[in-house]
Amino acid sequence: MAIKLFDSFSREIRELRNPDPNNPADVFSFYNCGLTVYASAHIGNFRTFVINDVLRRLLILEHGAGKVRYVRNLTDVDDKTIARAREEGRTLAEVTKEWTDKFHADCDKLNCLPMEAKFEPRATSYIKEQVDMIDVLMKKGNAYRAPDGSVYFKVSSFDHYGELSRVKERELKLGSALKTMAADADEKDDVSDFALWKAHKDEDGVNSWDSPWGRGRPGWHIECSAMSKALLGTTIDLHTGAVDLLFPHHENEIAQSECCNGQQFSRHWYHNEHLLVDGKKMSKSLGNYYTLDDLLAKGASPMAVRYALLSGHPRKQLNFTLDSLHAAESAIKTLREYRATLPAGTTGAHDTFGHVLAILQDDLNVPGALGAVFTLVNRKAGEADLASFDRVMFALGLDLKAAEPAKASAPANITALAEKRWAAKAAKDFASADALRKELTAAGWSMLDRKDGYSLEPLKK
RNA sequence: GGCGCGGUAGCCAAGUGGUAAGGCCGAGGUCUGCAAAACCUCUAUGCGCCGGUUCAAUUCCGGCCCGCGCCUCCA
Protein backbone atom coordinates (compact mmCIF):
# COMPACT_ATOMS: atom_id res chain seq x y z
CA MET A 1 0.00 0.00 0.00
CA ALA A 2 1.07 3.53 -0.55
CA ILE A 3 2.27 5.72 2.26
CA LYS A 4 -0.05 8.62 2.92
CA LEU A 5 1.26 11.91 4.15
CA PHE A 6 -0.09 15.37 4.72
CA ASP A 7 0.94 17.70 1.92
CA SER A 8 1.57 21.24 3.12
CA PHE A 9 0.97 22.62 -0.36
CA SER A 10 -2.51 21.24 -0.94
CA ARG A 11 -3.19 20.96 2.78
CA GLU A 12 -4.57 17.50 2.48
CA ILE A 13 -3.36 14.00 3.11
CA ARG A 14 -2.12 12.54 -0.15
CA GLU A 15 -0.44 9.32 -1.19
CA LEU A 16 3.26 9.48 -1.83
CA ARG A 17 4.36 8.35 -5.24
CA ASN A 18 5.36 4.72 -5.59
CA PRO A 19 8.57 4.28 -7.54
CA ASP A 20 8.43 1.82 -10.40
CA PRO A 21 9.86 -1.44 -9.01
CA ASN A 22 10.88 -2.58 -12.47
CA ASN A 23 12.84 0.52 -13.36
CA PRO A 24 16.14 0.61 -11.48
CA ALA A 25 16.57 4.28 -12.28
CA ASP A 26 13.27 5.22 -10.69
CA VAL A 27 13.83 6.01 -7.03
CA PHE A 28 11.78 7.90 -4.50
CA SER A 29 13.60 11.19 -4.06
CA PHE A 30 13.35 12.79 -0.69
CA TYR A 31 15.06 16.00 0.46
CA ASN A 32 15.13 17.00 4.11
CA CYS A 33 16.50 20.40 5.05
CA GLY A 34 19.33 19.76 7.46
CA LEU A 35 21.26 21.51 10.12
CA THR A 36 23.42 24.60 10.21
CA VAL A 37 26.62 23.32 11.77
CA TYR A 38 27.83 26.05 14.09
CA ALA A 39 26.81 24.59 17.46
CA SER A 40 25.31 21.48 18.96
CA ALA A 41 21.92 20.54 17.60
CA HIS A 42 19.14 20.75 20.17
CA ILE A 43 16.37 18.27 20.76
CA GLY A 44 13.97 20.36 18.71
CA ASN A 45 16.21 19.81 15.72
CA PHE A 46 16.28 16.15 16.53
CA ARG A 47 12.52 15.90 16.65
CA THR A 48 12.53 16.84 13.00
CA PHE A 49 15.35 14.49 12.09
CA VAL A 50 13.89 11.58 14.02
CA ILE A 51 10.51 12.07 12.37
CA ASN A 52 12.19 12.14 8.98
CA ASP A 53 14.13 9.05 9.94
CA VAL A 54 10.89 7.19 10.62
CA LEU A 55 9.53 8.32 7.30
CA ARG A 56 12.70 7.15 5.61
CA ARG A 57 12.42 3.78 7.36
CA LEU A 58 8.80 3.37 6.26
CA LEU A 59 9.78 4.11 2.68
CA ILE A 60 12.59 1.59 2.89
CA LEU A 61 10.26 -1.08 4.29
CA GLU A 62 7.77 -0.34 1.55
CA HIS A 63 10.05 -0.05 -1.45
CA GLY A 64 13.45 -1.39 -0.42
CA ALA A 65 16.52 0.62 0.48
CA GLY A 66 17.66 0.83 -3.11
CA LYS A 67 14.50 2.64 -4.13
CA VAL A 68 14.74 5.44 -1.59
CA ARG A 69 17.16 8.29 -2.06
CA TYR A 70 17.25 10.46 1.03
CA VAL A 71 19.23 13.67 0.94
CA ARG A 72 19.83 15.84 3.98
CA ASN A 73 22.13 18.80 3.61
CA LEU A 74 24.49 20.52 5.98
CA THR A 75 24.61 24.30 5.92
CA ASP A 76 28.25 25.09 6.47
CA VAL A 77 28.42 28.70 5.42
CA ASP A 78 26.15 31.46 6.68
CA ASP A 79 26.24 34.35 9.15
CA LYS A 80 26.28 32.09 12.20
CA THR A 81 28.98 29.70 11.08
CA ILE A 82 31.20 32.55 9.98
CA ALA A 83 30.58 34.45 13.20
CA ARG A 84 31.48 31.38 15.24
CA ALA A 85 34.72 30.88 13.35
CA ARG A 86 35.68 34.51 13.87
CA GLU A 87 34.91 34.37 17.59
CA GLU A 88 37.05 31.30 18.02
CA GLY A 89 39.83 32.36 15.73
CA ARG A 90 39.46 29.20 13.71
CA THR A 91 38.76 28.49 10.10
CA LEU A 92 35.22 27.99 8.93
CA ALA A 93 36.07 24.43 7.94
CA GLU A 94 37.40 23.62 11.41
CA VAL A 95 34.27 24.89 13.09
CA THR A 96 31.82 23.20 10.75
CA LYS A 97 33.75 19.91 10.90
CA GLU A 98 33.59 19.90 14.68
CA TRP A 99 29.84 20.39 14.75
CA THR A 100 29.19 18.08 11.85
CA ASP A 101 31.01 15.29 13.68
CA LYS A 102 29.05 16.05 16.82
CA PHE A 103 25.80 15.99 14.88
CA HIS A 104 26.65 12.63 13.37
CA ALA A 105 27.50 11.20 16.77
CA ASP A 106 24.19 12.40 18.18
CA CYS A 107 22.24 11.02 15.22
CA ASP A 108 23.95 7.71 15.80
CA LYS A 109 22.99 7.64 19.44
CA LEU A 110 19.41 8.36 18.46
CA ASN A 111 19.57 5.45 16.05
CA CYS A 112 18.93 7.47 12.93
CA LEU A 113 19.93 5.54 9.85
CA PRO A 114 23.33 6.75 8.71
CA MET A 115 23.66 9.11 5.79
CA GLU A 116 25.56 8.16 2.69
CA ALA A 117 28.27 10.81 2.43
CA LYS A 118 27.39 11.86 -1.08
CA PHE A 119 23.77 12.34 -0.09
CA GLU A 120 24.66 14.60 2.78
CA PRO A 121 25.88 17.56 0.76
CA ARG A 122 27.55 20.62 2.24
CA ALA A 123 26.79 24.05 0.85
CA THR A 124 30.45 24.88 0.33
CA SER A 125 30.90 21.82 -1.87
CA TYR A 126 28.23 23.02 -4.26
CA ILE A 127 29.25 26.62 -4.87
CA LYS A 128 29.53 26.08 -8.59
CA GLU A 129 26.06 24.58 -8.86
CA GLN A 130 24.64 27.49 -6.91
CA VAL A 131 26.40 30.06 -9.06
CA ASP A 132 25.15 28.28 -12.16
CA MET A 133 21.58 28.47 -10.96
CA ILE A 134 21.88 32.13 -10.09
CA ASP A 135 23.35 32.71 -13.50
CA VAL A 136 20.32 31.17 -15.15
CA LEU A 137 18.02 33.24 -12.99
CA MET A 138 19.90 36.39 -13.96
CA LYS A 139 19.65 35.52 -17.64
CA LYS A 140 15.97 34.76 -17.38
CA GLY A 141 15.30 38.05 -15.64
CA ASN A 142 14.30 36.56 -12.30
CA ALA A 143 17.24 38.11 -10.48
CA TYR A 144 19.15 41.35 -10.41
CA ARG A 145 22.48 42.60 -9.16
CA ALA A 146 22.30 45.28 -6.51
CA PRO A 147 24.77 48.15 -6.34
CA ASP A 148 26.84 46.45 -3.65
CA GLY A 149 27.36 43.33 -5.74
CA SER A 150 24.71 41.18 -4.08
CA VAL A 151 22.23 39.36 -6.25
CA TYR A 152 18.56 39.22 -5.30
CA PHE A 153 15.69 37.14 -6.52
CA LYS A 154 12.94 39.30 -7.91
CA VAL A 155 9.83 37.95 -6.23
CA SER A 156 7.48 39.85 -8.52
CA SER A 157 8.86 37.85 -11.45
CA PHE A 158 7.32 34.62 -10.19
CA ASP A 159 3.54 34.52 -10.38
CA HIS A 160 3.24 31.56 -8.09
CA TYR A 161 5.24 33.08 -5.27
CA GLY A 162 3.52 32.55 -1.94
CA GLU A 163 1.33 29.61 -2.88
CA LEU A 164 2.94 27.25 -0.38
CA SER A 165 2.74 29.54 2.63
CA ARG A 166 -0.17 31.66 1.40
CA VAL A 167 2.07 34.63 1.94
CA LYS A 168 -0.21 36.84 -0.11
CA GLU A 169 -2.85 36.34 2.51
CA ARG A 170 -0.50 37.46 5.19
CA GLU A 171 -0.11 40.91 6.52
CA LEU A 172 3.28 41.73 7.83
CA LYS A 173 3.32 42.86 11.36
CA LEU A 174 4.86 46.29 11.53
CA GLY A 175 7.76 45.24 13.71
CA SER A 176 8.86 42.47 11.40
CA ALA A 177 8.58 44.66 8.34
CA LEU A 178 10.69 47.37 9.91
CA LYS A 179 13.33 44.89 10.92
CA THR A 180 13.58 43.64 7.38
CA MET A 181 13.64 47.04 5.86
CA ALA A 182 16.42 48.10 8.16
CA ALA A 183 18.63 45.23 7.10
CA ASP A 184 19.19 45.61 3.40
CA ALA A 185 16.29 47.68 2.14
CA ASP A 186 18.56 50.08 0.36
CA GLU A 187 19.93 47.35 -1.83
CA LYS A 188 16.72 45.59 -2.78
CA ASP A 189 14.06 46.69 -5.23
CA ASP A 190 11.38 45.24 -3.01
CA VAL A 191 11.35 44.13 0.61
CA SER A 192 10.14 40.69 -0.42
CA ASP A 193 13.16 40.04 -2.61
CA PHE A 194 15.73 37.74 -1.07
CA ALA A 195 19.45 37.24 -1.51
CA LEU A 196 20.80 34.65 -3.90
CA TRP A 197 24.35 35.86 -3.64
CA LYS A 198 25.74 38.02 -0.87
CA ALA A 199 28.51 40.42 -1.73
CA HIS A 200 31.67 39.98 0.30
CA LYS A 201 31.85 41.93 3.54
CA ASP A 202 34.85 42.40 5.79
CA GLU A 203 33.35 40.10 8.45
CA ASP A 204 33.29 37.26 5.93
CA GLY A 205 37.07 37.19 5.91
CA VAL A 206 38.40 34.51 3.60
CA ASN A 207 35.02 32.88 3.30
CA SER A 208 34.07 34.08 -0.12
CA TRP A 209 34.11 32.77 -3.65
CA ASP A 210 34.41 34.25 -7.10
CA SER A 211 31.31 34.70 -9.17
CA PRO A 212 30.24 36.61 -12.25
CA TRP A 213 28.96 39.28 -9.85
CA GLY A 214 32.10 39.60 -7.80
CA ARG A 215 33.36 37.87 -4.68
CA GLY A 216 30.81 36.77 -2.18
CA ARG A 217 28.93 33.80 -0.84
CA PRO A 218 25.63 32.13 -1.59
CA GLY A 219 22.45 33.13 0.15
CA TRP A 220 20.86 30.53 2.34
CA HIS A 221 17.99 29.32 0.19
CA ILE A 222 19.88 28.66 -3.02
CA GLU A 223 21.95 25.82 -1.58
CA CYS A 224 18.94 23.56 -1.17
CA SER A 225 17.72 24.28 -4.67
CA ALA A 226 21.13 23.58 -6.16
CA MET A 227 21.94 20.46 -4.14
CA SER A 228 18.49 19.03 -4.56
CA LYS A 229 18.81 19.44 -8.32
CA ALA A 230 22.33 18.03 -8.42
CA LEU A 231 21.53 14.92 -6.41
CA LEU A 232 17.86 14.26 -7.06
CA GLY A 233 16.97 16.04 -10.26
CA THR A 234 14.74 18.96 -11.16
CA THR A 235 11.52 17.48 -9.80
CA ILE A 236 11.68 15.56 -6.56
CA ASP A 237 9.06 13.45 -4.84
CA LEU A 238 9.15 14.93 -1.37
CA HIS A 239 10.66 17.87 0.42
CA THR A 240 10.49 18.10 4.19
CA GLY A 241 11.46 20.25 7.14
CA ALA A 242 10.00 21.78 10.25
CA VAL A 243 7.20 24.35 10.04
CA ASP A 244 9.47 27.30 10.50
CA LEU A 245 11.02 26.57 7.12
CA LEU A 246 7.72 26.81 5.32
CA PHE A 247 8.21 30.52 5.00
CA PRO A 248 10.40 31.97 3.70
CA HIS A 249 12.86 29.15 3.09
CA HIS A 250 10.74 26.71 1.16
CA GLU A 251 8.76 29.40 -0.57
CA ASN A 252 12.02 30.82 -1.86
CA GLU A 253 13.33 27.43 -2.90
CA ILE A 254 10.24 26.90 -5.02
CA ALA A 255 10.63 30.30 -6.64
CA GLN A 256 14.30 29.79 -7.49
CA SER A 257 14.02 26.23 -8.66
CA GLU A 258 10.88 26.59 -10.72
CA CYS A 259 12.06 29.78 -12.39
CA CYS A 260 15.42 28.22 -13.13
CA ASN A 261 14.26 24.79 -14.25
CA GLY A 262 10.85 25.55 -15.63
CA GLN A 263 9.49 22.50 -13.83
CA GLN A 264 7.68 21.68 -10.65
CA PHE A 265 10.20 21.60 -7.82
CA SER A 266 8.63 19.07 -5.44
CA ARG A 267 5.55 16.92 -5.78
CA HIS A 268 4.91 16.78 -2.09
CA TRP A 269 5.74 18.97 0.89
CA TYR A 270 5.75 17.91 4.50
CA HIS A 271 6.36 19.99 7.60
CA ASN A 272 6.45 18.70 11.12
CA GLU A 273 5.50 20.88 14.02
CA HIS A 274 7.84 22.19 16.65
CA LEU A 275 8.95 20.68 19.87
CA LEU A 276 8.08 22.87 22.82
CA VAL A 277 9.73 22.59 26.18
CA ASP A 278 7.65 23.38 29.23
CA GLY A 279 5.02 24.79 26.94
CA LYS A 280 7.29 27.26 25.18
CA LYS A 281 9.69 27.31 22.32
CA MET A 282 13.16 26.51 23.52
CA SER A 283 15.33 29.46 24.29
CA LYS A 284 18.44 29.91 26.32
CA SER A 285 16.96 32.78 28.28
CA LEU A 286 14.06 30.62 29.44
CA GLY A 287 16.49 27.90 30.49
CA ASN A 288 14.52 25.27 28.60
CA TYR A 289 17.10 24.69 25.91
CA TYR A 290 18.32 21.10 25.76
CA THR A 291 20.89 19.30 23.69
CA LEU A 292 21.06 15.53 23.59
CA ASP A 293 24.07 15.67 25.88
CA ASP A 294 22.11 17.69 28.42
CA LEU A 295 19.53 14.91 28.64
CA LEU A 296 22.08 12.11 28.72
CA ALA A 297 23.80 13.92 31.57
CA LYS A 298 20.50 13.75 33.45
CA GLY A 299 20.63 9.98 33.13
CA ALA A 300 18.32 9.55 30.15
CA SER A 301 19.08 6.82 27.66
CA PRO A 302 19.28 7.89 24.01
CA MET A 303 16.42 5.54 23.11
CA ALA A 304 14.22 7.18 25.70
CA VAL A 305 14.97 10.52 24.13
CA ARG A 306 14.06 9.16 20.73
CA TYR A 307 10.86 7.66 22.11
CA ALA A 308 9.94 10.91 23.82
CA LEU A 309 10.53 12.85 20.60
CA LEU A 310 8.20 10.43 18.83
CA SER A 311 5.49 10.41 21.45
CA GLY A 312 3.37 13.08 19.82
CA HIS A 313 1.84 13.31 16.38
CA PRO A 314 4.43 14.87 14.07
CA ARG A 315 2.04 17.54 12.88
CA LYS A 316 1.20 18.66 16.39
CA GLN A 317 3.38 20.66 18.67
CA LEU A 318 4.86 18.36 21.25
CA ASN A 319 5.49 19.58 24.73
CA PHE A 320 8.67 17.97 25.96
CA THR A 321 9.21 17.64 29.68
CA LEU A 322 11.66 15.73 31.81
CA ASP A 323 8.70 13.65 32.96
CA SER A 324 8.16 12.50 29.41
CA LEU A 325 11.64 11.00 29.51
CA HIS A 326 10.77 8.90 32.53
CA ALA A 327 7.62 7.72 30.83
CA ALA A 328 9.64 6.85 27.73
CA GLU A 329 12.19 4.96 29.76
CA SER A 330 9.49 2.80 31.35
CA ALA A 331 7.69 2.21 28.08
CA ILE A 332 10.87 1.05 26.37
CA LYS A 333 11.62 -1.27 29.22
CA THR A 334 8.20 -2.85 28.79
CA LEU A 335 8.84 -3.30 25.08
CA ARG A 336 12.23 -4.81 25.72
CA GLU A 337 10.84 -7.29 28.22
CA TYR A 338 7.95 -8.12 25.96
CA ARG A 339 10.32 -8.84 23.12
CA ALA A 340 12.16 -11.33 25.31
CA THR A 341 8.93 -13.30 25.75
CA LEU A 342 8.46 -13.78 22.02
CA PRO A 343 9.58 -17.14 20.68
CA ALA A 344 12.63 -16.77 18.48
CA GLY A 345 12.74 -17.97 14.95
CA THR A 346 9.15 -17.29 14.04
CA THR A 347 8.55 -16.61 10.44
CA GLY A 348 6.32 -13.58 10.49
CA ALA A 349 3.55 -15.52 8.84
CA HIS A 350 0.99 -14.04 11.21
CA ASP A 351 2.34 -10.53 10.91
CA THR A 352 0.58 -9.70 14.14
CA PHE A 353 1.89 -6.17 14.10
CA GLY A 354 1.20 -5.54 10.44
CA HIS A 355 -1.66 -3.18 11.15
CA VAL A 356 0.68 -1.07 13.26
CA LEU A 357 2.70 -0.33 10.16
CA ALA A 358 -0.51 0.57 8.40
CA ILE A 359 -1.20 3.14 11.10
CA LEU A 360 2.27 4.58 10.61
CA GLN A 361 1.78 4.68 6.88
CA ASP A 362 -1.35 6.74 7.38
CA ASP A 363 0.20 10.17 7.76
CA LEU A 364 2.90 9.04 10.14
CA ASN A 365 0.63 8.55 13.13
CA VAL A 366 3.37 7.54 15.53
CA PRO A 367 1.44 7.86 18.80
CA GLY A 368 -1.45 5.93 17.30
CA ALA A 369 0.99 3.21 16.28
CA LEU A 370 2.58 3.09 19.70
CA GLY A 371 -0.84 2.71 21.26
CA ALA A 372 -1.60 -0.18 18.93
CA VAL A 373 1.71 -1.81 19.82
CA PHE A 374 0.94 -1.70 23.52
CA THR A 375 -2.56 -2.99 22.98
CA LEU A 376 -0.96 -6.11 21.52
CA VAL A 377 1.78 -6.20 24.09
CA ASN A 378 -0.87 -6.28 26.80
CA ARG A 379 -2.36 -9.38 25.23
CA LYS A 380 0.99 -11.09 25.73
CA ALA A 381 2.76 -13.20 23.20
CA GLY A 382 -0.14 -15.30 21.95
CA GLU A 383 -0.02 -15.34 18.20
CA ALA A 384 2.61 -12.64 18.09
CA ASP A 385 5.79 -13.30 16.23
CA LEU A 386 9.17 -11.77 16.59
CA ALA A 387 9.72 -10.84 12.96
CA SER A 388 6.53 -8.83 12.86
CA PHE A 389 7.35 -7.04 16.11
CA ASP A 390 10.88 -6.31 14.98
CA ARG A 391 9.64 -4.83 11.74
CA VAL A 392 7.63 -2.28 13.70
CA MET A 393 10.55 -1.54 15.99
CA PHE A 394 12.69 -1.01 12.91
CA ALA A 395 10.15 1.40 11.46
CA LEU A 396 10.14 3.39 14.67
CA GLY A 397 13.89 3.08 14.96
CA LEU A 398 13.64 1.77 18.48
CA ASP A 399 16.73 -0.29 19.11
CA LEU A 400 15.73 -2.21 22.20
CA LYS A 401 19.17 -3.66 22.69
CA ALA A 402 20.68 -0.20 22.78
CA ALA A 403 18.07 0.68 25.35
CA GLU A 404 19.55 -1.68 27.93
CA PRO A 405 20.64 0.46 30.81
CA ALA A 406 24.37 0.55 31.19
CA LYS A 407 25.47 -1.65 34.05
CA ALA A 408 27.42 0.62 36.27
CA SER A 409 30.12 -1.22 38.11
CA ALA A 410 30.03 -0.73 41.81
CA PRO A 411 33.07 0.47 43.72
CA ALA A 412 34.89 -2.03 45.92
CA ASN A 413 33.40 -0.86 49.21
CA ILE A 414 29.89 -1.33 47.82
CA THR A 415 30.71 -4.75 46.47
CA ALA A 416 32.07 -5.71 49.87
CA LEU A 417 28.86 -4.63 51.60
CA ALA A 418 26.84 -6.58 49.08
CA GLU A 419 28.92 -9.69 49.65
CA LYS A 420 28.43 -9.40 53.39
CA ARG A 421 24.70 -9.00 52.96
CA TRP A 422 24.48 -11.95 50.59
CA ALA A 423 26.31 -14.08 53.15
CA ALA A 424 24.06 -12.88 55.96
CA LYS A 425 21.01 -13.66 53.90
CA ALA A 426 22.32 -17.13 53.09
CA ALA A 427 22.80 -17.66 56.82
CA LYS A 428 19.21 -16.47 57.35
CA ASP A 429 20.51 -13.61 59.47
CA PHE A 430 17.82 -11.30 58.13
CA ALA A 431 18.42 -8.58 60.69
CA SER A 432 21.98 -8.12 59.50
CA ALA A 433 20.91 -8.44 55.90
CA ASP A 434 18.35 -5.66 56.30
CA ALA A 435 20.83 -3.44 58.07
CA LEU A 436 23.30 -3.92 55.24
CA ARG A 437 20.64 -3.12 52.68
CA LYS A 438 20.07 0.14 54.50
CA GLU A 439 23.78 0.90 54.36
CA LEU A 440 23.81 0.24 50.64
CA THR A 441 20.79 2.45 50.12
CA ALA A 442 22.44 5.21 52.09
CA ALA A 443 25.47 4.86 49.85
CA GLY A 444 23.24 5.26 46.81
CA TRP A 445 23.05 1.67 45.65
CA SER A 446 20.21 -0.74 45.23
CA MET A 447 20.78 -4.45 45.64
CA LEU A 448 18.52 -6.66 43.57
CA ASP A 449 18.25 -10.24 44.76
CA ARG A 450 17.70 -13.14 42.45
CA LYS A 451 17.56 -16.82 43.14
CA ASP A 452 21.13 -17.43 42.17
CA GLY A 453 22.78 -14.15 42.94
CA TYR A 454 22.32 -10.42 42.98
CA SER A 455 23.04 -7.30 40.99
CA LEU A 456 23.82 -3.79 42.05
CA GLU A 457 22.35 -0.69 40.51
CA PRO A 458 22.83 2.93 41.36
CA LEU A 459 19.69 4.40 42.86
CA LYS A 460 17.78 6.63 40.51
CA LYS A 461 16.97 10.05 41.77
C1' G B 1 -3.12 42.52 12.83
C1' G B 2 -2.36 38.22 9.16
C1' C B 3 -1.27 32.99 8.54
C1' G B 4 -0.95 28.23 10.97
C1' C B 5 -1.38 24.33 14.88
C1' G B 6 -4.00 23.01 19.05
C1' G B 7 -7.33 22.73 23.72
C1' U B 8 -9.36 14.75 25.54
C1' A B 9 -8.23 11.85 32.86
C1' G B 10 -2.82 13.97 37.91
C1' C B 11 0.90 14.19 33.47
C1' C B 12 1.65 12.73 28.16
C1' A B 13 -1.36 11.32 24.07
C1' A B 14 -4.56 8.55 19.87
C1' G B 15 -9.37 8.35 18.02
C1' U B 16 -14.54 8.09 16.23
C1' G B 17 -21.64 10.53 13.87
C1' G B 18 -23.47 5.52 17.98
C1' U B 19 -21.65 6.40 23.18
C1' A B 20 -13.72 7.47 25.05
C1' A B 21 -6.81 3.45 22.32
C1' G B 22 -2.31 3.56 24.69
C1' G B 23 1.95 5.24 27.85
C1' C B 24 3.57 7.37 32.67
C1' C B 25 2.24 8.17 37.62
C1' G B 26 -1.11 6.47 41.49
C1' A B 27 -4.21 2.78 44.25
C1' G B 28 -5.47 -2.31 45.57
C1' G B 29 -3.97 -7.39 45.08
C1' U B 30 -0.85 -12.06 43.95
C1' C B 31 4.12 -13.61 44.66
C1' U B 32 8.89 -13.46 46.75
C1' G B 33 12.18 -13.45 54.36
C1' C B 34 12.87 -7.71 53.28
C1' A B 35 13.57 -4.68 48.85
C1' A B 36 13.05 -4.88 43.63
C1' A B 37 11.04 -7.25 39.48
C1' A B 38 6.99 -9.74 37.38
C1' C B 39 1.81 -10.58 37.04
C1' C B 40 -3.64 -9.26 37.98
C1' U B 41 -7.32 -5.43 38.87
C1' C B 42 -8.87 -0.31 39.18
C1' U B 43 -8.47 5.05 37.59
C1' A B 44 -12.53 10.61 32.11
C1' U B 45 -21.25 9.60 32.49
C1' G B 46 -16.41 12.83 30.14
C1' C B 47 -13.36 15.04 25.33
C1' G B 48 -12.20 24.36 26.33
C1' C B 49 -17.26 27.29 26.49
C1' C B 50 -22.15 28.41 24.17
C1' G B 51 -25.54 27.50 20.48
C1' G B 52 -27.18 24.59 15.96
C1' U B 53 -27.93 20.08 12.75
C1' U B 54 -29.17 14.83 14.05
C1' C B 55 -32.77 9.38 16.57
C1' A B 56 -27.64 10.08 18.35
C1' A B 57 -21.82 14.87 18.61
C1' U B 58 -16.18 14.67 21.93
C1' U B 59 -16.52 13.72 16.57
C1' C B 60 -20.33 17.94 11.64
C1' C B 61 -21.72 23.50 11.40
C1' G B 62 -21.64 28.57 13.63
C1' G B 63 -19.94 31.85 17.43
C1' C B 64 -16.74 32.66 21.53
C1' C B 65 -12.59 31.91 25.07
C1' C B 66 -7.63 30.23 25.86
C1' G B 67 -2.53 28.30 24.62
C1' C B 68 1.52 27.88 21.23
C1' G B 69 4.17 28.82 16.66
C1' C B 70 5.41 31.69 12.20
C1' C B 71 5.29 36.62 9.77
C1' U B 72 12.02 37.31 5.34
C1' C B 73 18.38 33.56 6.52
C1' C B 74 15.02 29.56 13.52
C1' A B 75 14.22 22.23 12.83
Side-chain angles (χ1 to χ4, degrees), chain A residues 16 116 209:
Chain A
L16 292 173
E116 286 179 68
W209 291 262

mmCIF file of all heavy atoms in Angstrom, chain A residues 16 116 209:
data_model
loop_
_atom_site.group_PDB
_atom_site.id
_atom_site.type_symbol
_atom_site.label_atom_id
_atom_site.label_comp_id
_atom_site.label_asym_id
_atom_site.label_seq_id
_atom_site.Cartn_x
_atom_site.Cartn_y
_atom_site.Cartn_z
ATOM 1 N N LEU A 16 1.954 9.234 -1.232
ATOM 2 C CA LEU A 16 3.261 9.477 -1.829
ATOM 3 C C LEU A 16 3.386 8.619 -3.083
ATOM 4 O O LEU A 16 2.787 7.544 -3.176
ATOM 5 C CB LEU A 16 4.372 9.115 -0.838
ATOM 6 C CG LEU A 16 4.485 10.016 0.394
ATOM 7 C CD1 LEU A 16 5.511 9.453 1.362
ATOM 8 C CD2 LEU A 16 4.863 11.440 -0.012
ATOM 9 N N GLU A 116 24.484 8.406 3.644
ATOM 10 C CA GLU A 116 25.560 8.159 2.693
ATOM 11 C C GLU A 116 26.227 9.508 2.453
ATOM 12 O O GLU A 116 25.541 10.509 2.220
ATOM 13 C CB GLU A 116 24.993 7.656 1.372
ATOM 14 C CG GLU A 116 24.501 6.231 1.411
ATOM 15 C CD GLU A 116 23.937 5.827 0.057
ATOM 16 O OE1 GLU A 116 24.712 5.719 -0.908
ATOM 17 O OE2 GLU A 116 22.716 5.652 -0.035
ATOM 18 N N TRP A 209 33.794 33.462 -2.400
ATOM 19 C CA TRP A 209 34.106 32.771 -3.651
ATOM 20 C C TRP A 209 33.904 33.733 -4.814
ATOM 21 O O TRP A 209 33.133 34.701 -4.703
ATOM 22 C CB TRP A 209 33.179 31.570 -3.829
ATOM 23 C CG TRP A 209 33.434 30.464 -2.846
ATOM 24 C CD1 TRP A 209 34.183 29.337 -3.068
ATOM 25 C CD2 TRP A 209 32.954 30.361 -1.493
ATOM 26 N NE1 TRP A 209 34.200 28.538 -1.939
ATOM 27 C CE2 TRP A 209 33.454 29.141 -0.959
ATOM 28 C CE3 TRP A 209 32.167 31.167 -0.679
ATOM 29 C CZ2 TRP A 209 33.184 28.722 0.349
ATOM 30 C CZ3 TRP A 209 31.894 30.766 0.626
ATOM 31 C CH2 TRP A 209 32.406 29.553 1.130
#
